[in-house]
Amino acid sequence: SGKVTVDGQVVEINDARNILEVVRRAGIKLPTFCYHSELSVYGACRMCMVEVEGRGLVASCSTPPADGMVIHTSTPRTRRLRRMVIELLLANHDRECTSCDRSGSCKLQQLARQLGVTEVRFGHRDRKVPVDGTSYALVKNPNKCILCGDCVRMCKEIQGLGIWDFAFRGAKTMVTTAFNKPLAEVACVNCGQCAAVCPTGALTVKSEVDRVWDAILDPAKMVVVQVAPAVRVAIGEEFGLLPGEKATGQMVAALKKLGFDRVFDTLFTADMTTIEEGLELLGRLEKGGRLPLFTSCCPAWVKYAEQFHADLLDNLSTCRSPQQMFGSLVKKHYAREVGKQPAEVVCVSVMPCTAKKFEARRPEFTTEGVPDVDFVLSTTELARMIKEAGIVFNELEPEMFDNPLGMGSGAAVIYGASGGVMESVVRFVSTHLSGGDGGRVDFYPVRGMQGIKEASLELNGQTLQLAVVNGLANAEKLIQRIKSGRAFYHAVEVMACPGGCLGGGGQPVPNNTAARLGRMKGLYGLDRAEQLHNPQDNIFVTRALERWFGGPANPNTHRDLHTRYYP
Ligand code: HC0
Ligand code: SF4
């Protein structure tokens, strides 16, 4: 506690951990590359330097405030230093900005402008290191890396993986995988959180935009698109809306304008997942099956479990993710209903997620040799297509999803937030067992940004222990507790991304805690506004289950909607 003076203004220290936070309270936003409140402090970029009377220049992110400190944030020295840092970075940087994936959202570009850097006084070092495009999800371009280490700390601290680290020395220093192996050959789970914090174009999402344009323009193909829950509360950010502001209707209208033949909703199969997974849980409780039941809709978590916890694979729900259930329905059933072969229908997904690009390529998810989901676009890629087509998003009249695969309940909307899958299953099993009408059930203990959440549920005279985790480092903590016998749960939801899919690696940047909170609020708001709050009230889903499979949870649904895992 105590007080400091920031540019002549007295500010309370309170719980501020460093000078940067105190300065922020004085209404001054210091530029940073390597500072993220949810990661450890690295203090490498030197952008946040301030002058402290009696101490001289200090890095504000890694210096704790002390009572009586007199801080100056904008002096000739700090200004000169910040410009110098930017110039040095630019001298070492592949400056093909105009054609860069992050042009317009690059922090290096933004800060160079903000700080008035109009020329670089140092010679340009043009070192071309090969670009790694081996991954289905991400592209690594070391020529654009500024060595801030954000990706390194993200992967290590939040995901517990440590795929990235610094290698080599001096001018050759770069961030890469162990032994500099191609990204497709290491244990990367494709969550894309590294790309979400990368300030430049060094780590970007692999684009499938051109292949989708080709499909749309191919007269022989019927192109069907599904949109994930978390996209609708984030795509607006690309068009000036706030995180969480609903843009569903405009998004649907834009997709129709782009030329998709059918615009459907992943909410449809999220409801289907809840029913199949809810019945799976009830079945395991009744017959003494493997517990806890782990959710399986996050492909980053599935790959993590396959790589590191093969002994838990029988605990994972056998349900395919909503994305893959959707692809399977389209290729195996919907195509036939509209008189087409699976190969004549192209199924595109729009996802907040980069790991979904990998999931769609898994060999088990095919029908008659063609992938169930042909292409996966991130939220940002869809925004790019809309911009490329010159569609004025904000002036679009809202439109509705097509049917029959365009209808979802509020329980499906909240899938996009950490805790949402668990809450949906809770809604389903409680009303299923009580034979209730499925009115609104709010299950607050599993909501929110917290990394590990626990709850219990009274069901049929039994108390179920539930846990929800986001971030794979948190998942690992929980698994260790379970394996050592320190904890027991009946069901566990795991999502790799902090906050759940709403914080996925394919969402618009800034993809920070504030944006995630906004999107989360948006999703729960949409649930409240929905007419249905329970998957079993979605008659389009229950009818489809009847018509195509003869009802839920039987050998037919197991063939098309479930899967197995590979250690
Ligand atoms: Fe998610 Fe999903 S909720 S993983 O985060 O389960 O990507 O939004 O689409 O598949 O529905 C992502 C989001 C989905 C799936 C759904 C699930
Ligand atoms: Fe993808 Fe969601 Fe998993 Fe993140 S939490 S990797 S967005 S499925």
Side-chain angles (χ1 to χ4, degrees):
S1 65
K3 291 187 177 92
V4 300
T5 313
V6 178
D7 299 335
Q9 187 185 337
V10 178
V11 185
E12 299 272 352
I13 297 176
N14 290 331
D15 56 349
R17 293 166 297 176
N18 48 54
I19 294 179
L20 187 68
E21 287 181 11
V22 190
V23 168
R24 188 77 199 87
R25 280 181 206 160
I28 291 162
K29 196 171 173 208
L30 291 171
T32 57
F33 285 114
C34 71
Y35 183 76
H36 295 272
S37 53
E38 68 278 15
L39 299 178
S40 65
V41 172
Y42 183 47
C45 77
R46 306 329 254 180
M47 289 299 292
C48 68
M49 300 295 276
V50 295
E51 280 199 72
V52 176
E53 282 184 16
R55 286 185 59 177
L57 284 169
V58 301
S60 65
C61 70
S62 48
T63 311
D67 190 31
M69 254 183 189
V70 181
I71 300 160
H72 301 279
T73 67
S74 185
T75 66
R77 275 173 87 196
T78 61
R79 283 201 303 272
R80 223 180 308 129
L81 191 98
R82 284 183 203 133
R83 280 194 188 181
M84 171 98 84
V85 171
I86 295 280
E87 284 182 66
L88 284 167
L89 288 171
L90 285 171
N92 261 313
H93 191 80
D94 169 349
R95 298 212 295 267
E96 285 168 14
C97 296
T98 44
S99 56
C100 177
D101 195 75
R102 291 290 301 273
S103 187
S105 70
C106 167
K107 220 163 167 189
L108 181 58
Q109 203 179 48
Q110 276 164 9
L111 289 183
R113 270 194 80 166
Q114 185 187 326
L115 303 180
V117 175
T118 50
E119 59 173 336
V120 177
R121 288 164 294 170
F122 310 102
H124 191 228
R125 186 175 66 119
D126 212 9
R127 179 170 66 103
K128 281 275 180 217
V129 180
V131 171
D132 181 352
T134 57
S135 156
Y136 287 128
L138 300 163
V139 178
K140 180 189 81 160
N141 184 349
N143 306 296
K144 307 235 178 192
C145 177
I146 61 169
L147 302 177
C148 64
D150 291 356
C151 57
V152 176
R153 284 171 296 134
M154 173 55 83
C155 192
K156 206 169 283 172
E157 295 169 13
I158 305 295
Q159 303 300 39
L161 276 158
I163 297 302
W164 302 119
D165 212 336
F166 293 96
F168 311 110
R169 285 176 211 212
K172 292 208 168 86
T173 306
M174 66 189 265
V175 169
T176 186
T177 56
F179 307 109
N180 205 12
K181 275 200 185 164
L183 192 49
E185 289 170 29
V186 298
C188 168
V189 297
N190 307 296
C191 70
Q193 289 301 306
C194 54
V197 286
C198 179
T200 70
L203 282 165
T204 52
V205 178
K206 165 110 32 107
S207 172
E208 295 177 55
V209 164
D210 287 336
R211 302 178 68 188
V212 172
W213 279 128
D214 288 346
I216 289 174
L217 292 173
D218 184 343
K221 306 276 188 198
M222 173 178 191
V223 187
V224 163
V225 64
Q226 58 163 319
V227 191
V231 176
R232 63 207 70 199
V233 287
I235 186 143
E237 293 163 40
E238 292 276 349
F239 302 99
L241 300 185
L242 292 171
E245 266 188 88
K246 171 183 158 178
T248 320
Q250 281 96 327
M251 178 187 73
V252 172
L255 287 162
K256 293 190 173 172
K257 269 206 155 51
L258 285 172
F260 289 100
D261 297 304
R262 296 285 185 285
V263 180
F264 290 143
D265 202 342
T266 312
L267 296 197
F268 182 88
T269 37
D271 275 338
M272 205 172 258
T273 304
T274 308
I275 293 174
E276 289 290 304
E277 197 158 325
L279 293 173
E280 186 180 13
L281 176 63
L282 293 176
R284 289 195 200 187
L285 290 170
E286 214 171 280
K287 298 187 199 101
R290 285 281 283 254
L291 294 173
L293 173 85
F294 282 91
T295 59
S296 61
C297 36
C298 169
W301 152 239
V302 168
K303 187 166 187 267
Y304 183 86
E306 289 178 327
Q307 289 172 168
F308 303 113
H309 294 288
D311 54 331
L312 283 183
L313 293 179
D314 287 339
N315 290 64
L316 264 61
S317 162
T318 57
C319 288
R320 296 186 191 186
S321 73
Q323 161 170 284
Q324 293 307 142
M325 281 199 189
F326 194 95
S328 183
L329 285 184
V330 164
K331 293 290 166 83
K332 293 180 178 69
H333 302 280
Y334 180 74
R336 209 179 39 217
E337 249 178 37
V338 295
K340 305 253 181 219
Q341 298 297 319
E344 292 172 309
V345 179
V346 174
C347 180
V348 177
S349 311
V350 186
M351 296 279 144
C353 174
T354 50
K356 291 277 165 195
K357 289 177 183 272
F358 169 83
E359 179 180 61
R361 292 285 165 276
R362 290 183 66 123
E364 60 270 30
F365 299 140
T366 52
T367 298
E368 295 175 24
V370 296
D372 290 339
V373 173
D374 296 271
F375 306 114
V376 180
L377 299 173
S378 66
T379 307
T380 313
E381 283 172 87
L382 173 60
R384 204 161 290 172
M385 287 182 76
I386 295 169
K387 290 174 189 171
E388 190 181 347
I391 295 169
V392 186
F393 190 81
N394 298 308
E395 290 174 11
L396 290 170
E397 278 301 318
E399 290 189 44
M400 307 265 276
F401 284 104
D402 293 316
N403 274 320
L405 306 179
M407 170 89 164
S409 74
V413 178
I414 61 173
Y415 259 60
S418 163
V421 178
M422 185 63 83
E423 180 165 345
S424 303
V425 170
V426 166
R427 290 184 191 183
F428 173 77
V429 293
S430 12
T431 48
H432 182 76
L433 286 189
S434 68
D437 66 352
R440 211 170 93 210
V441 182
D442 282 326
F443 197 58
Y444 291 104
V446 295
R447 296 188 185 182
M449 289 291 290
Q450 229 178 305
I452 301 182
K453 295 168 271 188
E454 294 179 301
S456 54
L457 176 75
E458 299 301 324
L459 193 75
N460 244 4
Q462 192 185 359
T463 305
L464 296 189
Q465 304 297 342
L466 311 172
V468 168
V469 289
N470 59 80
L472 292 173
N474 290 323
E476 186 59 38
K477 255 192 239 164
L478 195 86
I479 290 170
Q480 292 312 328
R481 274 193 229 158
I482 294 171
K483 286 191 173 174
S484 66
R486 278 175 291 151
F488 173 79
Y489 305 100
H490 295 88
V492 178
E493 176 199 298
V494 185
M495 290 289 172
C497 297
C501 294
L502 53 85
Q507 293 283 58
V509 288
N511 193 357
N512 52 21
T513 308
R516 290 172 198 219
L517 275 169
R519 296 171 196 153
M520 190 173 271
K521 233 177 125 196
L523 285 174
Y524 287 106
L526 288 181
D527 172 32
R528 205 155 303 128
E530 236 8 286
Q531 276 176 345
L532 309 177
H533 303 283
N534 221 305
Q536 57 267 62
D537 298 334
N538 185 341
I539 50 162
F540 282 97
V541 166
T542 48
R543 267 193 217 149
L545 282 168
E546 276 305 326
R547 186 166 80 243
W548 288 331
F549 304 102
N554 62 39
N556 297 328
T557 63
H558 270 262
R559 186 192 59 222
D560 294 350
L561 305 177
H562 291 245
T563 187
R564 50 182 306 241
Y565 305 103
Y566 300 90

